[in-house]
């Protein structure tokens, strides 16, 4: 065996890659090809025929462009909210929390030991009309006497923000934690103010974490349906809700498959635009 | 197209190496094409696998609450027949259950269940039957089928009851939270009273919600026309646009009613009783309600004799009475009310499990043709923003 690898040195990387590639082929490419095949079918359940039915795609855009747009807007707002909330928090943990770092990181991750669904259901109680949050906001006249938080856009976006928070916080933490403090000392020695040191040293060095965090948050958030289903109303329906209903309720698999493809495609386009703006070397770390 | 690629064939192809795996035929096998198949058997087994909804059978606790003593009906069945029952409460919604089993059924394979339940006022029961995914009952093993009430003897989806038997029935009505509103007695009041704005729930299932609206409109839900459908849908659309409707619920409206997020909601009879909250009341709408039935059926791969033996057991009126008392839903077994009164003298006061003749006379059924109309389905989802 040893002599085999010795003689065929060039083969080793491919052998090491093989399990991963096989995994991708079986669990990503084949299902994707099947989804593509299904998206061009026509007919009624269970007798779908493959007919190159490209109208599935145009119909999907015609009927559901609103839900598509909403998904991207909600995911975008949630991603920005995650960033604004997470950055100062993990900055503090990375530079100021000292020996308590791991404990605080645990606090960020701890809610995620509970399943996604239960976490979201918890918000039903927290934001309930007769619950404590709404009560306080009504007393402060932030909300009117009949005002509510649940079943609003605010609730859905908040739910998404909450559920994807660690995906933003952890990558940023990792990139901040790796910053050599001597670089900041050097900046100070060169008469940089704290603000200047942050903007010219810390922020650029943490950019890979920010980019990774935004991708990890935005992509799944755009396809999310649980938050809109539990915390929203029909006016907050996202594209994930439409796909779910097409698959489960109408048994309209071709439409569902074409919607899934469109979602994937539009995320890819958004990603490419993002890559152009931030520079592709940061996307790949 | 090769719609009947079996598991063995698939494994053989897999063994031939992933690179040789022929993609087109795999795609074809996963995709279209029907094909019944007669998997499953004629042998009596010593285990019965039964999928049902949650809170839909007597348990030690519900028996106690209903004043019953002794072992549960499942335990009684095992003692009597020596058949062990694996009872799965894994039907969360008709659609999701169907989605999980349809892939295997389409290949003519079993789903490791001998009995599953599906509701008649939804499209999925019809799908099991018309696609040939249900096995015929062995009526020789079900002599108690004579106890089936006449009203259930010949439903449109199974006129001779060859494939299905009722498990429980329930009634569609309106529930309200007494602390937030007075009694809500009509669908119009529910959908238009400005005091309820944003605090009203309706179902996400078309048959139930539009059925109640059709009754309110003076239309017959058992015979739906394009006009009556349009009229009913417009009422829901209007209430939705006005912000009257908070959300379209599955079976999760009971809790929000209790916490006060909902002041009133369309609601199933037994759910409100099972909620056990005295401030949440339930009533039949003035123009009447919809009655629906969950039906037991044997999916492909199920053991017909084992399943039939169990169905015979539950059609014994004394067993049916215990089931009804324990789950608060309506049995389709003759004489169940008398048997229940023998077990618990107060039983007949439970009108949700044992509705009076007057209540039953207010009940209507959905038109099965409504569920197989893709245009209706599409528009019903559109009202829900989907």
């Amino acid at each position: 065996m040893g002599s085999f690898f010795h003689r065929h040195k060039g083969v080793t990387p491919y052998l090491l890659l093989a399990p991963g590639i096989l995994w991708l082929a079986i669990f990503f490419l084949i299902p994707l090809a099947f989804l593509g095949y299904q998206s061009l079918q026509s007919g009624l359940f269970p007798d779908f025929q493959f007919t190159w039915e490209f109208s599935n795609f145009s119909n999907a855009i015609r009927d559901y462009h609103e839900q598509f747009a909403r998904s991207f807007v909600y995911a975008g707002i949630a991603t920005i909210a995650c960033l604004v909330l997470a950055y100062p928090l993990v900055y503090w943990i990375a530079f100021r929390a000292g020996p308590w770092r791991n404990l605080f990181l645990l606090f960020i991750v701890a809610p995620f030991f509970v399943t996604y669904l239960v976490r979201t259901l918890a918000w039903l109680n927290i934001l309930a009309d007769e619950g404590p949050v709404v009560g306080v906001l009504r007393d402060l006249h932030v909300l009117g006497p009949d005002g509510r938080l649940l079943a609003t856009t605010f609730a859905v976006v908040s739910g998404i923000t909450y559920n994807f928070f660690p995906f933003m916080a952890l990558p940023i933490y990792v990139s901040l934690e790796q910053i050599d403090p001597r670089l900041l000392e050097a900046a100070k020695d060169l008469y940089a103010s704290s603000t200047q040191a942050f903007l010219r040293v810390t922020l650029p060095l943490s950019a890979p974490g920010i980019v990774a965090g935004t991708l990890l948050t935005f992509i799944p958030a755009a396809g999310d349906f649980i938050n809109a289903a539990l915390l929203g109303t029909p006016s907050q329906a996202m594209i994930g809700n439409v796909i779910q209903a097409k698959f489960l309720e109408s048994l309209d698999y071709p439409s569902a498959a074409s919607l899934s493809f469109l979602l994937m495609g539009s995320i890819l386009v958004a990603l490419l635009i993002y890559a152009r703006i931030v520079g592709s070397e940061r996307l790949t770390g | 197209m090769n719609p009947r690629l079996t598991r063995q064939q698939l494994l053989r192809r897999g063994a031939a190496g992933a690179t040789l795996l022929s993609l087109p035929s795999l795609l074809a096998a996963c995709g279209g094409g029907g094909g019944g198949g007669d998997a499953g058997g004629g042998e009596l087994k010593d285990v019965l696998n039964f999928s049902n909804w949650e809170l839909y059978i007597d348990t030690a606790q519900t028996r106690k609450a209903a004043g019953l003593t002794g072992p549960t009906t499942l335990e009684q069945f095992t003692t009597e027949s020596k058949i062990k029952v694996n009872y799965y409460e894994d039907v969360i919604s008709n659609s999701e259950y169907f989605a999980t089993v349809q892939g295997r059924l389409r290949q003519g394979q079993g789903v490791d269940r001998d009995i599953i339940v599906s509701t008649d006022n939804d499209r999925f029961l019809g799908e099991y039957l018309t696609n040939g995914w249900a096995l015929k009952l062995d009526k020789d093993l079900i002599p108690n089928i004579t106890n089936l009430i006449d009203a259930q003897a010949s439903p449109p989806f199974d006129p001779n009851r060859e494939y299905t038997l009722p498990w429980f029935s329930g009634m569609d009505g309106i529930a309200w939270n007494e602390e937030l509103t007075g009694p809500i007695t009509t669908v119009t009041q529910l959908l238009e009273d400005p005091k309820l704005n944003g605090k009203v729930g309706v179902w996400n299932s078309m048959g139930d919600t539009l059925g109640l609206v059709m009754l309110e409109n003076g239309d017959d839900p058992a015979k739906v026309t394009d006009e009556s459908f349009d009229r009913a849908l417009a009422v829901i659309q209007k209430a939705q646009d006005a912000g009257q409707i908070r959300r379209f619920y599955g079976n999760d409206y009971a809790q929000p009613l209790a916490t006060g997020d909902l002041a009133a909601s369309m609601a199933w009879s037994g759910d409100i009783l099972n909620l056990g909250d005295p401030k949440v009341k339930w009533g039949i709408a003035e123009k009447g309600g919809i009655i629906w039935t969950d039906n037991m059926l044997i999916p492909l791969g199920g053991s017909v004799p084992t399943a039939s033996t169990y169905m015979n057991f539950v059609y014994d009126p004394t067993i049916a009475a215990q089931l009804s008392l324990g789950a608060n839903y309506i049995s389709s077994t003759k004489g169940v009310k008398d048997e229940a009164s023998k077990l618990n003298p107060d039983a007949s006061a439970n009108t949700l499990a044992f509705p009076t003749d007057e209540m039953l006379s207010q009940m209507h059924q959905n038109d099965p043709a409504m569920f197989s109309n893709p245009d209706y389905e599409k528009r019903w989802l559109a009202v829900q923003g989907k």
Side-chain angles (χ1 to χ4, degrees):
Chain A
M1 252 334 235
S3 63
F4 173 83
F5 285 118
H6 213 71
R7 268 181 282 127
H8 304 274
K9 260 190 184 152
V11 182
T12 317
Y14 295 103
L15 282 175
L16 288 171
L17 277 176
I21 289 177
L22 208 64
W23 176 274
L24 269 182
I26 294 174
F27 293 105
F28 180 66
L29 290 180
I30 293 178
L32 200 66
F34 176 58
L35 203 66
Y37 174 75
Q38 206 165 37
S39 71
L40 295 171
Q41 290 178 342
S42 60
L44 293 176
F45 182 90
D47 303 308
F48 298 116
Q49 306 293 334
F50 184 78
T51 54
W52 296 103
E53 194 71 33
F54 284 103
S55 64
N56 286 339
F57 285 86
S58 48
N59 291 345
I61 295 172
R62 184 195 64 207
D63 295 343
Y64 302 109
H65 56 270
E66 219 176 291
Q67 288 88 340
F68 265 113
R70 195 179 290 141
S71 301
F72 282 93
V73 170
Y74 287 7
I77 298 175
T79 306
I80 293 168
C82 277
L83 180 61
V84 169
L85 292 171
Y87 200 98
L89 179 68
V90 292
Y91 181 91
W92 184 82
I93 295 176
F95 292 115
R96 301 275 187 276
W100 301 101
R101 274 181 181 187
N102 289 338
L103 183 70
F104 284 113
L105 282 181
L106 185 71
F107 285 159
I108 293 182
V109 181
F112 295 79
F113 297 157
V114 179
T115 61
Y116 190 47
L117 193 64
V118 171
R119 282 202 310 269
T120 312
L121 285 170
W123 281 93
L124 281 178
N125 296 320
I126 297 170
L127 300 179
D129 288 12
E130 312 296 324
V133 179
V134 173
V136 169
L137 291 177
R138 279 181 188 159
D139 290 344
L140 294 173
H141 295 283
V142 176
L143 283 174
D146 289 327
R148 66 180 194 206
L149 289 177
L150 264 188
T152 61
T153 303
F154 174 79
V156 177
V157 175
S158 306
I160 298 173
T161 306
Y162 164 72
N163 274 311
F164 291 101
F165 186 77
F167 296 102
M168 181 66 87
L170 295 179
I172 298 179
Y173 172 79
V174 170
S175 62
L176 284 174
E177 199 242 341
Q178 285 169 347
I179 294 177
D180 188 340
R182 284 173 303 180
L183 291 172
L184 293 169
E185 285 166 20
K188 295 259 171 69
D189 285 349
L190 296 167
Y191 298 103
S193 67
S194 301
T195 317
Q196 279 171 322
F198 174 77
L199 290 176
R200 314 243 343 219
V201 179
T202 314
L203 193 61
L205 286 174
S206 63
I210 297 174
V211 172
T214 37
L215 293 183
L216 286 175
T217 308
F218 182 81
I219 296 172
D224 185 74
F225 66 95
I226 300 228
N227 289 286
L230 294 177
L231 306 176
T233 71
S235 319
Q236 278 89 34
M238 293 168 71
I239 199 64
N241 303 89
V242 177
I243 295 174
Q244 189 214 23
K246 291 274 172 202
F247 263 118
L248 294 182
E249 302 294 336
S250 358
L251 305 178
D252 185 354
Y253 297 169
S255 294
S258 57
L259 282 165
S260 307
F261 249 82
L262 283 170
L263 176 63
M264 227 169 5
S266 39
I267 288 177
L268 202 65
V269 169
L271 206 69
L272 289 173
I273 296 171
Y274 187 60
R276 268 205 94 86
I277 296 170
V278 302
S280 59
E281 72 278 5
R282 281 194 184 136
L283 274 186
T284 51
Chain B
M1 295 283 280
N2 173 11
R4 309 247 323 248
L5 186 79
T6 65
R7 227 177 352 164
Q8 278 170 335
Q9 282 171 301
L10 190 69
L11 287 174
R12 230 177 287 138
R13 282 181 203 189
T19 45
L20 297 175
L21 197 78
S22 90
L23 189 60
S25 66
L26 185 71
L27 292 179
C30 299
D38 47 6
E43 275 182 45
L44 187 67
K45 296 190 303 175
D46 54 5
V47 176
L48 174 82
N49 293 310
F50 184 4
S51 272
N52 207 343
W53 298 83
E54 268 185 299
L55 305 175
Y56 222 31
I57 198 163
D58 58 313
T59 63
Q61 291 96 319
T62 63
R63 289 181 72 89
K64 206 172 154 199
L68 297 173
T69 51
T72 64
T73 56
L74 285 177
E75 288 160 352
Q76 294 173 48
F77 176 68
T78 303
T79 310
E80 192 182 301
S81 65
K82 307 282 173 267
I83 297 171
K84 180 177 173 280
V85 184
N86 292 325
Y87 185 79
Y88 301 93
E89 293 187 325
D90 55 358
V91 183
I92 298 159
S93 79
N94 289 308
S95 58
E96 280 179 45
Y97 195 83
F98 183 82
T100 48
V101 297
Q102 62 87 15
R104 289 178 64 88
L105 293 174
R106 256 203 296 178
Q107 310 300 323
Q109 294 170 345
V111 293
D112 302 324
R113 293 290 185 273
D114 301 296
I115 301 179
I116 61 176
V117 295
S118 190
T119 319
D120 63 356
N121 72 340
D122 215 329
R123 112 176 234 199
F124 303 96
L125 179 62
E127 294 287 348
Y128 290 114
L129 298 173
T130 53
N131 290 307
W133 298 341
L135 301 175
K136 251 189 193 171
L137 311 177
D138 184 347
K139 287 194 186 168
D140 291 343
L141 293 173
I142 319 178
N144 283 341
I145 203 167
T146 50
N147 294 331
L148 179 67
I149 56 172
D150 299 338
Q152 289 281 7
S154 109
F157 52 87
D158 189 10
N160 300 316
R161 283 288 179 195
E162 286 178 290
Y163 296 93
T164 61
L165 275 176
W167 175 252
F168 280 133
S169 301
M171 296 177 284
D172 288 356
I174 301 174
W176 65 90
N177 181 326
E178 224 174 18
E179 287 178 358
L180 299 174
T181 172
I184 307 295
T185 53
T186 71
V187 172
T188 304
Q189 192 187 356
L190 180 75
L191 295 177
E192 288 180 10
D193 185 342
K195 286 202 290 289
L196 304 177
N197 192 281
K199 291 179 110 44
V200 167
V202 300
W203 291 289
N204 58 17
S205 65
M206 175 167 73
D208 297 300
T209 301
L210 293 188
L212 286 190
V213 177
M214 283 172 189
L215 287 168
E216 183 80 3
N217 289 347
D219 292 319
D220 182 3
K223 198 143 181 55
V224 174
T225 63
D226 285 350
E227 290 74 30
S228 68
F229 182 86
D230 291 349
R231 268 195 292 276
L233 197 68
V235 170
I236 293 296
Q237 183 73 60
K238 190 175 148 218
Q240 163 63 22
D241 293 343
Q244 184 82 356
I245 295 172
R246 187 181 184 103
R247 230 182 82 192
F248 291 72
Y249 291 84
N251 56 359
D252 50 346
Y253 52 81
Q255 201 56 37
L257 266 173
T259 59
D261 284 350
L262 290 175
S265 178
M266 294 186 177
W268 287 309
S269 48
D271 275 6
I272 298 306
L273 200 68
N274 288 330
L275 177 71
D277 189 326
K279 67 178 180 292
V280 180
K281 304 288 178 193
W282 183 90
I284 299 170
E286 270 173 23
K287 297 282 186 68
I290 299 283
I291 188 162
W292 45 262
T293 302
D294 272 304
N295 284 269
M296 299 183 274
L297 63 92
I298 310 172
L300 292 185
S303 161
V304 173
T306 317
S308 301
T309 304
Y310 181 74
M311 291 183 192
N312 187 56
F313 173 78
V314 298
Y315 270 84
D316 176 335
T318 51
I319 300 299
Q322 295 172 52
L323 284 167
S324 248
L325 284 168
N328 289 318
Y329 276 97
I330 304 162
S331 168
S332 291
T333 311
K334 280 179 194 161
V336 68
K337 199 171 177 174
D338 296 340
E339 287 298 326
S341 301
K342 282 184 213 161
L343 294 166
N344 177 351
D346 302 332
S348 56
N350 181 352
T351 53
L352 294 184
F354 308 103
T356 61
D357 291 342
E358 195 211 330
M359 288 166 83
L360 286 175
S361 71
Q362 289 173 278
M363 289 296 140
H364 303 258
Q365 277 175 310
N366 279 124
D367 181 354
M370 178 161 93
F371 307 117
S372 48
N373 186 322
D375 178 53
Y376 289 177
E377 174 80 36
K378 197 169 176 207
R379 291 167 58 200
W380 173 241
L381 287 176
V383 174
Q384 301 172 56
K386 303 192 234 187

